[in-house]
Amino acid sequence: MLFPTARKPSFAHHYFNNFFFMCKQPDSSSSKETALNHMPIPPGQHERHALSFSSFLVTPFTLLKQLKPPHCTPRKILLLLLLTSILSFASLYTFHRGFRRTIQFWRGMAPLVLKYKYVKFRALTIDRCGEEELERRLNVYRETSAPALVDLILRLGGIYVKIGQVMSTIGQGLLPQQYIDALQPLQDGVPPRNYDEISRIVETSTGKTMDELFESFDEKPIGAASVAQVHRATLRPRKEGEEPVPIVLKVQYPEVAELFEADLSNLELATKLFAPENLEVAKSMRKRHENELDFRKEAENLRECTRDMQQY
């Protein structure tokens, strides 16, 4: 970036001058590298070559090996590492949905885990409480953490709501009663998504418009859940002379499968920290929900059920 001579250089320009032009170009023979335009380098430092910012972003650790004293002080190296970390984190958070989902999960879960560990540590190590007093303190903690956990589940949505619904029904003996009671409202279901969003999902998945696929499509769903919702529709005949086919269409929300791996990995880690004795249960949920998200298996199960029922 070029600055007019009458204008005082900005802090950013001064920073790049003194930071990015502090070592020799790794490949000085390359004609493709484009140096950043900069203001005159102080006397005695003209032998330095401009460091390509694009190369720095792509291979920061390779370039770190090129940093040699005395120009590259420990402070500058630390600044370089800090800047690299910030840029990497910002890029991952912006462009990687799984990473962003993990950050959102632990931003809500980490305070709950840390407080749980602190309550147990203080009771057992500092105050040396008996089992009865420890349980009393844990019950106080659960009364406050259970609503916070449900709020986190509702904010994240997707598979977390599904798992919360399952645990509210089969969690007896696996979870403290305070959590089971707090999870009960999840049984009421979740609000459905609007028709425009559902039609976009169908059209993206099939490559055809709604009019090409259906003679009619009921915009109001029969039911909505945490991972999908169901609509009545009538398929257009594929061939001339065939009759339209009334169907029930189950539409899965696309982010559920996309974030499945991150969500279940986060759940397993949280279980390991909160209740390691239930880790196998958390792992079994992974297999169960993998099958539930494959609607082809669900359709085959329905066809098998229909065949069995037709015998009676």
Side-chain angles (χ1 to χ4, degrees):
M1 183 179 295
L2 295 173
F3 291 89
T5 55
R7 181 178 174 182
K8 185 179 179 180
S10 68
F11 171 78
H13 180 273
H14 177 75
Y15 176 81
F16 281 117
N17 249 356
N18 289 279
F19 190 73
F20 287 113
F21 307 122
M22 62 187 180
C23 64
K24 292 184 178 182
Q25 188 79 344
D27 183 9
S28 58
S29 63
S30 175
S31 61
K32 296 183 180 180
E33 291 291 346
T34 303
L36 295 175
N37 291 323
H38 56 285
M39 294 185 69
I41 301 175
Q45 301 181 18
H46 290 284
E47 70 277 6
R48 302 184 197 181
H49 292 277
L51 177 62
S52 167
F53 185 57
S54 60
S55 296
F56 161 72
L57 288 177
V58 174
T59 56
F61 293 105
T62 302
L63 295 179
L64 274 174
K65 296 177 182 178
Q66 306 294 327
L67 302 184
K68 308 269 185 191
H71 303 307
C72 297
T73 64
R75 182 182 175 208
K76 289 181 178 179
I77 293 175
L78 287 175
L79 286 173
L80 179 60
L81 290 172
L82 178 62
L83 180 61
T84 304
S85 300
I86 293 173
L87 289 172
S88 299
F89 181 88
S91 298
L92 281 171
Y93 191 85
T94 302
F95 300 110
H96 195 290
R97 293 191 67 180
F99 180 79
R100 183 165 65 249
R101 180 79 157 184
T102 298
I103 295 298
Q104 292 167 345
F105 175 86
W106 286 107
R107 188 169 58 194
M109 182 60 72
L112 300 179
V113 172
L114 291 175
K115 188 173 181 181
Y116 172 76
K117 294 291 186 181
Y118 172 74
V119 169
K120 289 192 68 175
F121 174 79
R122 178 172 184 130
L124 297 176
T125 307
I126 299 176
D127 298 337
R128 299 187 180 277
C129 300
E131 289 295 326
E132 186 176 338
E133 176 61 17
L134 172 62
E135 189 62 26
R136 187 194 69 79
R137 294 188 183 190
L138 288 177
N139 282 333
V140 172
Y141 163 78
R142 291 162 185 156
E143 291 291 342
T144 58
S145 63
L149 179 62
V150 174
D151 287 342
L152 176 63
I153 289 173
L154 291 173
R155 286 200 306 272
L156 293 171
I159 201 72
Y160 291 116
V161 174
K162 180 73 172 176
I163 292 172
Q165 291 170 337
V166 172
M167 295 308 297
S168 69
T169 56
I170 68 169
Q172 202 74 35
L174 297 174
L175 294 177
Q177 190 61 42
Q178 294 92 332
Y179 292 105
I180 295 176
D181 293 341
L183 291 169
Q184 285 296 328
L186 298 180
Q187 294 293 335
D188 297 335
V190 296
R193 303 194 182 184
N194 61 48
Y195 170 75
D196 290 339
E197 185 173 355
I198 294 301
S199 64
R200 280 197 301 271
I201 295 172
V202 173
E203 290 176 350
T204 302
S205 300
T206 62
K208 297 182 179 181
T209 66
M210 297 293 284
D211 288 337
E212 290 175 322
L213 293 168
F214 307 107
E215 278 201 354
S216 65
F217 189 94
D218 192 346
E219 296 185 10
K220 183 179 179 181
I222 301 171
S226 55
V227 299
Q229 64 189 59
V230 180
H231 293 259
R232 286 191 180 92
T234 303
L235 281 176
R236 288 190 179 279
R238 292 185 178 182
K239 299 178 181 178
E240 189 175 347
E242 291 183 348
E243 293 293 324
V245 181
I247 62 168
V248 173
L249 181 68
K250 189 173 184 179
V251 182
Q252 185 179 121
Y253 307 140
E255 72 277 3
V256 173
E258 181 182 349
L259 299 173
F260 177 83
E261 184 61 36
D263 286 345
L264 269 294
S265 297
N266 290 329
L267 177 67
E268 289 176 8
L269 180 55
T271 303
K272 190 174 182 179
L273 294 172
F274 256 122
E277 66 276 8
N278 294 330
L279 184 57
E280 289 304 315
V281 176
K283 290 182 177 179
S284 68
M285 284 187 175
R286 177 187 291 271
K287 185 63 177 177
R288 168 179 175 168
H289 287 91
E290 280 178 352
N291 292 330
E292 284 193 12
L293 293 181
D294 189 343
F295 286 177
R296 294 167 299 182
K297 292 182 179 179
E298 183 175 349
E300 181 56 38
N301 291 337
L302 288 172
R303 283 191 285 267
E304 183 179 351
C305 182
T306 300
R307 288 192 297 269
D308 292 342
M309 295 297 293
Q310 285 175 344
Q311 300 176 13
Y312 300 96

